């Protein structure tokens, strides 16, 4: 049985409980989980064509809330750069990978309600999968969230709470609601089941590349859920003897909001404690990664360093240019989802995969 484990102080909790954070430090949980058996490429033939085909390495099995998520195409962009088309997911973003895990867990726990907070994509994914699971859901979003995303949340039947202020204010409002009895906090940041969903991104890549991985995997980083999922997967694949070396993790942030990149290049293990509440994030086209103080900052920085990777930043002009460039290649991707292409599009010395992780219809073309 998997258990929640606090990476800071070792506190444990039962995953059947509705506790959403460590009661000692109020930090996010990890999951103490070991795959039941090694994954075999030969055993994958004939399995369901979704992320649930990797059942040996998932902490939940036999789902009833699936929408067929996963198994997105991997296509070349240049001779060395390939793209994983996660904008082709049921709710048009990679967040479906983790949201289905949270909704399935919540369905089994039968809470009175589910709450989530998001800048848009995680909220739409949680709303959709809660609808599939017939769970009442409330999604908190910051003012200024794309109307197309809020429309999608409402369409799935979720209650929408628009919070004055920035992404941090939204998270604080959702966490206050999460403390109410009978509430399941479907947090893509605090609940580690989400990370075990996003790790399937790398398992699919490994399968599609014939049992290998590229030299590097680039991911956009705000709260770091895709990056930490990738780190989980590469660690598991290495432990199972299915790869010989880990690929470097290339973390990409918008230059306008790049606290992790700054800390990484300064050699820091985490973010400095602010004198008070963090200042609002600067405006950026990459709204999905505009996170001034990600709760898993230490884990993100450590994962990048352990992989031999680095942090890159991109300007607003680079984001605009990358979105238009991808569109001329046939891919209409939202502005957050083009950040990695903006950062590594001209690489020629090693193979790298970038995620195109949100559809352009969610935000429109950057002005």
């Amino acid at each position: 049985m998997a258990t929640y484990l606090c990476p800071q102080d070792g506190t444990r909790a039962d995953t059947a409980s509705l506790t959403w954070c460590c009661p000692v430090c109020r930090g996010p949980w990890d999951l103490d989980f070991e795959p039941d058996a090694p994954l075999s490429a030969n055993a994958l033939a004939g399995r369901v064509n979704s992320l649930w085909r990797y059942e040996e390495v998932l902490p939940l099995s036999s789902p009833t809330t699936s929408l067929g998520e996963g198994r997105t195409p991997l296509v070349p962009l240049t001779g060395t750069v390939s793209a994983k088309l996660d904008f082709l997911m049921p709710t048009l973003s990679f967040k479906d990978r983790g949201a289905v895990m949270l909704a399935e867990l919540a369905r089994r726990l039968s809470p009175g309600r589910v709450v989530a907070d998001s800048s848009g994509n995680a909220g739409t994914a949680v709303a959709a999968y809660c609808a599939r699971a017939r769970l009442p859901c409330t999604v908190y979003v910051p003012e200024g969230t794309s109307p197309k995303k809020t429309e999608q949340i409402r369409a799935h039947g979720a209650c929408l709470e628009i919070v004055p202020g920035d992404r941090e204010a939204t998270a604080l409002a959702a966490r206050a609601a999460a403390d109410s009895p009978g509430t399941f906090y479907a947090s893509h940041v605090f609940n580690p089941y989400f990370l075990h969903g996003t790790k399937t991104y790398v398992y699919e890549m490994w399968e599609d590349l014939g049992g290998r991985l590229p030299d590097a995997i680039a991911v956009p980083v705000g709260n770091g859920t895709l990056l930490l999922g990738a780190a989980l997967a590469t660690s598991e694949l290495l432990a199972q003897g299915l790869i010989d070396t880990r690929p470097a993790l290339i973390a990409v942030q918008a230059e306008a909001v790049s606290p992790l990149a700054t800390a990484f290049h300064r050699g820091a293990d985490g973010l400095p404690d602010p004198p008070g509440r963090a200042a609002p994030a600067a405006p950026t086209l990459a709204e999905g990664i505009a996170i001034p103080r990600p709760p898993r900052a230490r884990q993100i920085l450590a994962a990048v360093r352990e992989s031999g990777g680095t942090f890159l930043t991109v300007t607003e002009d680079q984001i605009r240019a990358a979105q238009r460039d991808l569109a001329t290649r046939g891919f209409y991707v939202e502005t957050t989802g083009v950040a990695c292409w903006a950062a590594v599009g001209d690489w020629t010395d090693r193979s790298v995969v970038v995620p195109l992780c949100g559809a352009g219809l969610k935000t429109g073309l950057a002005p």
Side-chain angles (χ1 to χ4, degrees):
M1 290 290 293
T3 60
Y4 290 133
L5 172 66
C6 177
Q8 298 300 318
D9 54 43
T11 300
R12 290 179 179 271
D14 192 335
T15 56
S17 70
L18 293 177
T19 180
W20 62 269
C21 68
C22 173
V24 177
C25 70
R26 300 286 285 181
W29 291 117
D30 279 351
L31 197 64
D32 188 358
F33 166 76
E34 292 290 338
D36 288 336
L39 184 66
S40 168
N42 295 331
L44 295 175
R47 288 191 180 181
V48 62
N49 194 34
S50 74
L51 62 81
W52 296 98
R53 68 196 279 109
Y54 310 109
E55 58 185 0
E56 294 93 334
V57 299
L58 293 176
L60 296 174
S61 61
S62 304
T64 63
T65 54
S66 176
L67 292 168
E69 57 286 331
R71 298 297 292 141
T72 55
L74 183 67
V75 299
L77 291 176
T78 71
T80 56
V81 182
S82 295
K84 188 97 165 77
L85 308 189
D86 262 24
F87 68 89
L88 297 179
M89 290 286 210
T91 75
L92 308 182
S93 90
F94 87 93
K95 296 292 177 63
D96 290 6
R97 294 185 183 275
V100 68
M101 300 293 286
L102 296 184
E104 179 64 22
L105 177 62
R107 183 193 66 79
R108 299 179 188 196
L109 299 180
S110 299
R113 67 166 179 163
V114 174
V115 300
D117 59 289
S118 169
S119 59
N121 284 340
T124 60
V126 170
Y129 284 94
C130 281
R132 182 72 165 174
R134 296 293 187 263
L135 291 168
C137 177
T138 300
V139 179
Y140 293 75
V141 300
E143 60 183 356
T145 298
S146 165
K148 297 178 182 180
K149 294 180 181 179
T150 56
E151 177 184 339
Q152 188 178 2
I153 292 169
R154 287 193 175 101
H156 291 307
C159 176
L160 185 69
E161 292 284 347
I162 298 176
V163 180
D166 61 7
R167 183 66 182 82
E168 185 181 3
T170 304
L172 292 174
R175 291 169 199 167
D179 285 329
S180 300
T183 300
F184 179 88
Y185 184 24
S187 172
H188 59 293
V189 181
F190 278 75
N191 194 305
Y193 277 86
F194 195 94
L195 306 181
H196 283 267
T198 60
K199 76 181 182 184
T200 58
Y201 173 86
V202 172
Y203 276 97
E204 291 175 16
M205 193 186 307
W206 167 81
E207 183 181 359
D208 289 344
L209 292 174
R212 63 180 181 84
L213 290 174
D215 298 325
I217 299 172
V219 289
V221 173
N223 277 309
T225 55
L226 185 55
L227 182 136
L228 292 173
L232 268 174
T234 56
S235 177
E236 290 174 358
L237 287 165
L238 190 65
Q240 294 176 70
L242 296 174
I243 56 174
D244 295 326
T245 58
R246 292 184 185 183
L249 297 177
I250 310 301
V252 180
Q253 295 203 291
E255 186 177 276
V257 187
S258 52
L260 293 168
T262 300
F264 180 88
H265 292 297
R266 288 177 177 173
D269 294 330
L271 300 180
D273 292 330
R277 187 177 178 274
T284 174
L285 293 167
E287 63 179 11
I289 53 174
I291 310 295
R293 296 197 61 79
R296 294 187 185 270
R298 287 184 174 274
Q299 289 177 286
I300 296 166
L301 291 166
V304 173
R305 289 194 174 102
E306 288 168 7
S307 75
T310 191
F311 272 82
L312 302 175
T313 61
V314 291
T315 66
E316 301 302 292
D317 285 343
Q318 286 176 307
I319 292 171
R320 289 187 184 90
Q323 188 186 37
R324 285 168 168 76
D325 179 67
L326 283 172
T328 65
R329 298 169 186 262
F331 305 107
Y332 187 34
V333 184
E334 70 170 332
T335 45
T336 299
V338 306
C340 291
W341 175 241
V344 306
D346 59 354
W347 280 24
T348 58
D349 60 338
R350 52 178 168 165
S351 61
V352 59
V353 170
V354 301
L356 305 185
C357 46
L361 296 175
K362 285 175 170 280
T363 57
L365 194 65

